[in-house]
Each structure stands twice: as structure tokens, then as C-alpha cells.
């Protein structure tokens, strides 16, 4: 089946002249095409969003909630199709697109719809009798720009709060993964989102739909998830129009394993934190630090687990790791491994492209890769690889490992594994990251702040933190 994707502007599915291919990462086959949005489509989408803002922002939150719940219901009831489209987009195995994954996409919409309808407001009575209170107005037109690695999760993560708080939206999905966003636009229409409230323009970044959205004078806020360098460019391009910015950027997480950790659980967590989504995951923890007494056993068993992962056909329910997103990305990941070896590290397992029989010989499969002997300043420990490649390094004491874990430009997430409660809290608090998981990985509560420090982002989203991104607080001071 060939997927012919369209933009979604002002409630209509529209095309634009130039189209680009949609490629299934696992086979390299073209499975459809998508339109490349130009300045004209961005202008139309922003104008539609601006026009719709007048009425959408004035709807009662409970009315917005009703419509957004229908949207969330539609996501859930089309879960199987969305899961399949996500795998065609990303190359991730179907088993990782579990019901839980799709439910999370729906929950992103549902949670913020409920939150906005039920949130409290602040009041600050003064000693002299004046009363201050705070109203939260929507900001206006929100430009949402998303990456290719977990598209459905991140698109809904931004659409949910933006719409629930009364903003209107222009979404620019990643060019490698247009299918899920296209389906979302169909479901939005079916669920009765009024025309112009939610628009999707497909296309590329620089000098294409992404940049035009970033520079558009009538876009009030940009919520962007993607690479740190892209964030830097967007920040510069958004400066003349002084947009509000929320950035969720790259990561280089540490997984700190103390010798007392609950062994089997710790191994499971470490494998997931390394190879979920082929390691193409901002929250991955590819720098594994293991306390020296446990190091040899860890290496032996972790390498064994990495070797035994079933890599291949993402549609096969038994497959545990799928295809990387594109040939150029696979080359980039292999390049990191090659340079790590040149710098003196050793590949304990993997490190190569995986050749599979047709039709997967056209895919971008890679062996799960474990590197030993890298030093913490090496490129492999400092730069985001975004593939199934981890380093394992022994450590001797807590202070040393905390310094190594904090010793990159990133600060998104980390994992700490130990049975010692006091140590778990101490180490977690010392890590310069936005999220720390203790004895687990990628457990998400939508009420908590999500985002990163340093080069991993600006601001936090989630729960009431999303108010800072998607609303304007207004102080009303009343003389009584
Ligand atoms: P990317 O920065 O290349 O692209 C992300 C999006 O930005 C795409 O839609 C792209 O078209 C657009 N874009 C690119 N250049 C642009 C420009 N000049 N102006 C406007 N838009 C532009 O990122 P990617 O390769 O798609 O995704 C991988 C990156 O995303 C990794 O660094 C990963 O860590 C990061 N990421 C972060 C989080 C998080 O929550 N912090 C989550 C997922 C992914």
C-alpha cells in the first residue's frame, strides 16, 4: 500500500507541489510520499490557527475537554493502525509499540484536557487588604516541531497541553516519520476539532517548513524536541520575533550500577536503557558505570544479553530490536564505533552492520554493541550516538562515578541501581539531570517535570510545569 500523505490545514487535507519519499527503514522500500510544505503552507496554517484562536481560546475548558477526550478515544480505538504506522515510520519493533505506548499517546491528550478543566488558581492576599490572583491565558499560536525517534509520543505530548490550555497549533513533524502525524490529523478531524485549531504541515527543517514556522511573526511560542544544534539554530532564528521557547534536546544518560543492585532486575533495566528503540532514544543510558566488584560479571552477562537480542523484522512480534532510521544515520553510528576503537577502546560485542536476508537486506540493522575500555573524555562517552551502542566502565567510589556521570554537556536523564536506600537518594540528588530513575527506566508520570539541564534543554513540560510553556500568567490586583 502506498501512503500518500497530505498537510492538514484549516480542517482540510491539502497538497503542495513538491513531494518527498516515505521510506520504511527496515527494508529501504519507498512506501509512499509526503508533501514538502513551503512558506505558503506555513502562512496558511498559521493564519488558520490565528483565526481559530479567537473562538478556541474562549471555549470553556470543560468544552475543550469534551472534544479532546473524543480525540484521545479515537487514538485509542485506532491503536493497532497507529502502532503499525509508527513501526513503518521508525523501524521500531511492534512489541515496543505495545498497547501501553499507544495508551500513553492518548493519555497525553486526556491528561492535559482534564488538568486544564480542573486546575486551581493562585491567590495572594496582602496585609493591607489588597487581593492578588492569577489568571492563566492561552499564549496564542503554538508551533510544535518534533523529531523522528518516538514521534507519536512526542507529538501528543505537545499537542495535548497546547490545545487544552486554549492555544491553537501548527505541528511540523519530522520528515522521516510523517505517517503517524498524518493519521493524527485524520483522527483530529473525525473527533470534531474545529477547523484551524490543529494544523499539520510536513516538510524539512532548514529553509523549509520548520524554519518558516520558526521565523513566522504570528507564531507566539515554539515547543521543539530534537538535536541540541538544531535548538541553537531555532533559538537564533526565533530571536527577531521574540518567541517563547521550550526545548527538549539531546541526552547522554549514565546508568550507575552498584554491586549490591538486585541482579536480574538490574540487567533487565540496563538492557532496556541501552537498546530500547534501537538506542535511538534521548532518555537512553548508554554510559554504563559498574562498581568494580560487579564489573566482570556484569560485562559477561550484559554482553550475553546483547548478543541474544533478536534483531530483524520489526513487524514480527518476537523481534526485540528493529532497524535504525536511515542509512546515513547507521553510517554515523558505525563511525562513532570506529573512532572509539581508534582511540583505544575495545568492542566486546557488535560494532557492525547486520546483514539480513531479503527484504531486510535494504534495512539499516546494526548489532547491539558493547564497548569496553573507553575513557570518559573520549568522543564515544561525550557525544550523543543515538544508536545501539553502550560503553561499560568500572568505578571505585561514589564521588568518582557522580563526577563522570555529570561530566558531559548534557543533563537529561540517568539511572541509579542499588539496594542501598540512602545511597540511592544521595546519588540521585547529586546528578545534574532532569530525571533520575532508581532501579528502573522510562517510567513516566505525566504530572512530573520533564526536560533537561545544560545542553539538554530549556524549561520543563508536564503537569503544571506545562503552564509555564503554554499559558500567560496574568496578575489581577484588587483593592478591597
Ligand atoms: P533534529 O534536530 O534533526 O530534527 C528535529 C525536528 O526539527 C525535525 O522535525 C526537523 O525537520 C526540524 N528541524 C531541523 N532543522 C530545523 C531548523 N533549522 N528550523 C526548524 N526546524 C528544524 O532531531 P532528530 O534527528 O529528528 O531527533 C533526534 C534528536 O532529538 C536527538 O538529539 C534526541 O536526543 C533528541 N530528542 C530529545 C528528546 C527530549 O525529550 N529531550 C526526545 C526525543 C528526541
Amino acid at each position: 500500500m502506498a501512503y500518500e500523505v497530505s498537510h492538514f490545514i484549516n480542517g482540510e487535507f491539502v497538497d503542495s507541489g513538491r513531494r518527498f519519499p516515505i521510506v520504511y527503514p527496515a527494508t529501504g522500500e519507498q512506501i509512499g510520499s509526503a508533501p514538502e510544505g513551503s512558506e505558503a503552507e506555513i502562512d496558511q496554517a498559521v493564519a488558520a490557527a490565528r483565526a481559530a484562536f479567537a473562538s478556541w481560546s474562549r471555549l470553556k475548558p470543560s468544552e475543550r475537554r469534551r472534544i479532546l477526550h473524543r480525540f484521545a478515544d479515537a487514538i485509542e480505538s485506532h491503536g493497532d493502525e497507529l502502532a503499525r504506522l509508527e513501526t513503518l515510520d521508525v523501524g521500531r519493533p511492534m512489541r515496543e509499540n505495545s498497547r501501553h505506548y499507544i495508551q500513553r499517546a492518548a493519555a497525553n491528550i486526556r491528561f492535559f484536557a482534564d488538568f486544564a478543566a480542573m486546575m486551581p488558581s493562585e491567590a495572594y492576599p496582602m496585609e493591607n487588604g489588597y487581593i492578588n490572583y492569577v489568571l492563566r491565558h492561552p499564549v496564542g499560536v503554538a508551533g510544535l516541531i518534533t523529531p523522528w525517534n518516538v514521534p507519536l509520543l512526542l507529538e501528543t505530548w505537545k499537542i495535548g497541553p497546547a490545545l487544552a490550555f486554549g492555544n491553537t497549533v501548527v505541528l511540523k513533524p519530522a520528515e522521516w516519520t510523517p505517517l503517524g502525524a498524518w493519521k493524527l490529523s485524520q483522527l483530529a478531524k473525525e473527533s470534531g476539532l474545529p477547523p484551524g485549531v490543529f494544523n499539520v504541515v510536513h516538510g524539512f527543517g532548514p529553509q523549509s517548513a520548520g524554519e518558516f514556522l520558526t521565523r513566522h511573526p504570528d507564531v507566539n511560542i515554539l515547543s521543539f524536541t530534537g538535536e541540541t544544534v538544531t535548538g541553537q539554530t531555532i533559538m537564533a532564528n526565533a530571536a527577531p520575533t521574540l518567541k517563547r521557547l521550550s526545548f527538549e534536546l539531546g541526552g547522554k544518560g549514565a546508568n550507575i550500577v552498584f554491586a549490591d543492585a538486585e541482579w536480574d532486575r538490574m540487567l533487565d533495566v540496563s538492557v532496556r536503557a541501552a537498546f530500547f528503540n534501537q538506542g535511538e532514544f534521548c532518555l537512553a543510558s548508554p554510559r554504563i558505570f559498574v562498581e568494580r566488584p560487579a564489573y566482570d560479571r556484569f560485562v559477561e552477562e550484559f554482553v550475553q544479553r546483547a548478543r541474544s537480542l533478536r534483531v530483524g523484522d520489526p513487524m514480527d512480534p518476537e523481534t526485540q530490536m528493529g532497524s535504525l532510521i536511515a542509512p546515513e544515520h547507521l553510517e554515523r553510528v558505525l563511525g562513532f564505533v570506529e573512532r572509539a576503537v581508534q582511540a583505544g577502546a575495545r568492542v566486546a560485542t557488535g560494532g557492525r552492520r547486520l546483514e539480513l536476508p531479503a527484504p531486510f537486506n535494504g534495512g539499516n540493522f546494526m548489532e547491539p554493541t558493547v564497548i569496553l575500555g573507553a575513557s570518559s573524555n573520549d568522543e564515544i562517552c561525550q557525544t550523543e550516538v543515538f544508536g545501539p551502542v553502550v560503553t561499560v566502565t568500572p568505578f571505585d567510589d561514589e564521588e568518582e562515578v557522580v563526577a563522570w556521570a555529570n561530566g558531559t554537556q548534557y543533563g537529561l536523564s540517568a539511572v541509579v541501581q542499588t539496594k542501598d536506600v540512602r545511597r540511592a537518594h544521595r546519588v540521585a540528588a547529586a546528578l545534574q539531570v532532569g530525571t533520575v530513575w532508581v532501579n528502573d527506566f522510562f517510567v513516566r508520570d505525566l504530572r512530573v517535570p520533564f526536560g533537561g539541564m545544560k545542553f539538554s534543554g530549556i524549561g520543563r513540560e508536564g503537569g503544571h510545569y506545562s503552564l509555564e510553556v503554554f499559558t500567560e500568567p496574568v496578575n489581577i490586583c484588587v483593592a478591597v
Side-chain angles (χ1 to χ4, degrees):
M1 171 175 183
Y3 295 95
E4 297 307 327
V5 166
S6 349
H7 307 298
F8 181 57
I9 300 175
N10 207 20
E12 302 295 334
F13 294 99
V14 295
D15 218 340
S16 53
R18 280 216 307 244
R19 298 187 70 82
F20 59 92
I22 305 172
V23 174
Y24 181 32
T27 59
E29 278 171 276
Q30 181 173 346
I31 52 170
S33 72
E36 182 184 352
S38 65
E39 207 156 5
E41 283 75 34
I42 289 291
D43 279 347
Q44 286 163 20
V46 173
R50 174 59 57 197
F53 179 71
S55 50
W56 182 252
S57 60
R58 270 194 242 115
L59 272 189
K60 290 184 191 132
S62 57
E63 287 169 5
R64 287 199 293 261
R65 173 168 65 175
R66 203 166 39 79
I67 299 171
L68 291 172
H69 269 268
R70 283 208 301 265
F71 188 24
D73 291 344
I75 291 173
E76 259 174 1
S77 63
H78 289 78
D80 290 346
E81 186 184 355
L82 281 168
R84 200 181 140 74
L85 292 176
E86 181 90 346
T87 283
L88 289 172
D89 263 340
V90 181
R92 175 192 319 127
M94 279 299 272
R95 69 189 276 159
E96 285 181 356
N97 289 344
S98 59
R99 180 164 297 192
H100 174 75
Y101 183 92
I102 298 296
Q103 274 172 354
R104 163 73 201 281
N108 283 338
I109 307 285
R110 222 186 281 291
F111 170 85
F112 286 104
D114 291 344
F115 186 94
M118 295 192 279
M119 68 187 177
S121 68
E122 301 154 73
Y124 299 90
M126 294 169 74
E127 278 180 0
N128 56 10
Y130 287 79
I131 296 176
N132 290 283
Y133 60 90
V134 181
L135 293 183
R136 292 276 179 177
H137 296 320
V139 183
V141 175
L144 312 180
I145 302 180
T146 46
W148 49 262
N149 64 327
V150 277
L152 271 179
L153 273 199
L154 291 171
E155 287 154 8
T156 49
W157 173 243
K158 295 180 190 301
I159 296 166
L163 294 183
F165 295 134
N167 305 280
T168 52
V169 160
V170 179
L171 168 70
K172 207 299 280 172
E175 53 271 32
W176 275 336
T177 54
L179 291 174
W182 176 58
K183 187 70 206 174
L184 280 183
S185 53
Q186 295 171 8
L187 298 177
K189 184 163 177 142
E190 278 171 40
S191 343
L193 272 170
V197 166
F198 172 56
N199 305 273
V200 182
V201 179
H202 295 275
F204 298 84
Q207 286 161 31
S208 181
E211 181 173 335
F212 300 137
L213 186 61
T214 304
R215 291 185 182 277
H216 202 290
D218 210 20
V219 171
N220 306 95
I221 175 207
L222 285 173
S223 174
F224 165 74
T225 301
E227 283 195 42
T228 299
V229 291
T230 312
Q232 289 163 332
T233 306
I234 288 180
M235 200 167 187
N237 291 342
T241 47
L242 221 59
K243 290 182 177 43
R244 184 182 295 187
L245 300 174
S246 172
F247 283 174
E248 293 176 353
L249 307 176
K252 187 77 185 172
N255 171 9
I256 302 176
V257 176
F258 287 94
D260 70 345
E262 194 184 323
W263 194 261
D264 291 343
R265 180 186 176 106
M266 176 280 293
L267 266 186
D268 285 346
V269 168
S270 300
V271 169
R272 271 193 294 132
F275 301 121
F276 172 76
N277 207 44
Q278 301 78 237
E280 297 167 316
F281 198 37
C282 52
L283 299 169
S285 288
R287 294 181 299 145
I288 307 179
F289 299 109
V290 184
E291 203 174 12
R292 200 172 298 273
Y295 178 76
D296 289 341
R297 180 177 174 203
F298 179 90
V299 168
E300 193 187 324
E301 296 187 22
F302 185 82
V303 163
Q304 191 48 43
R305 292 283 296 266
R307 277 198 192 124
S308 63
L309 285 177
R310 287 182 63 148
V311 187
D313 177 3
M315 295 293 173
D316 181 339
E318 298 299 313
T319 295
Q320 293 168 299
M321 208 176 88
S323 165
L324 271 64
I325 187 78
E328 56 267 45
H329 184 60
L330 172 62
E331 283 309 315
R332 186 170 173 270
V333 173
L334 291 170
F336 279 109
V337 177
E338 203 177 304
R339 290 190 297 280
V341 172
Q342 280 160 10
R346 179 166 78 77
V347 175
T349 187
R352 287 168 308 188
R353 175 168 190 229
L354 194 62
E355 303 288 348
L356 294 175
F360 303 106
N361 50 343
N364 318 300
F365 295 92
M366 183 173 169
E367 297 169 336
T369 300
V370 180
I371 293 180
L372 307 177
S375 90
S376 110
N377 292 327
D378 290 352
E379 179 199 48
I380 194 75
C381 294
Q382 288 292 325
T383 310
E384 185 181 45
V385 173
F386 227 54
V389 179
V390 301
T391 55
V392 188
T393 310
F395 71 89
D396 291 302
D397 70 67
E398 213 177 283
E399 215 173 303
E400 173 184 62
V401 78
V402 166
W404 286 346
N406 287 338
T408 75
Q409 63 178 351
Y410 296 107
L412 189 59
S413 65
V415 173
V416 178
Q417 305 202 68
T418 177
K419 285 210 278 268
D420 179 336
V421 174
R422 295 182 63 202
R423 176 160 61 194
H425 288 286
R426 200 167 54 233
V427 172
L431 294 173
Q432 294 161 359
V433 293
T435 300
V436 182
W437 283 289
V438 176
N439 298 326
D440 217 319
F441 170 68
F442 194 34
V443 177
R444 293 278 293 112
D445 180 327
L446 303 186
R447 294 169 299 180
V448 303
F450 179 79
M453 299 182 188
K454 303 194 283 187
F455 274 40
S456 288
I458 299 180
R460 296 290 186 277
E461 297 191 28
H464 69 81
Y465 298 89
S466 293
L467 286 169
E468 302 312 317
V469 178
F470 291 109
T471 69
E472 289 283 8
V474 176
N475 167 218
I476 312 238
C477 181
V478 183
V480 182

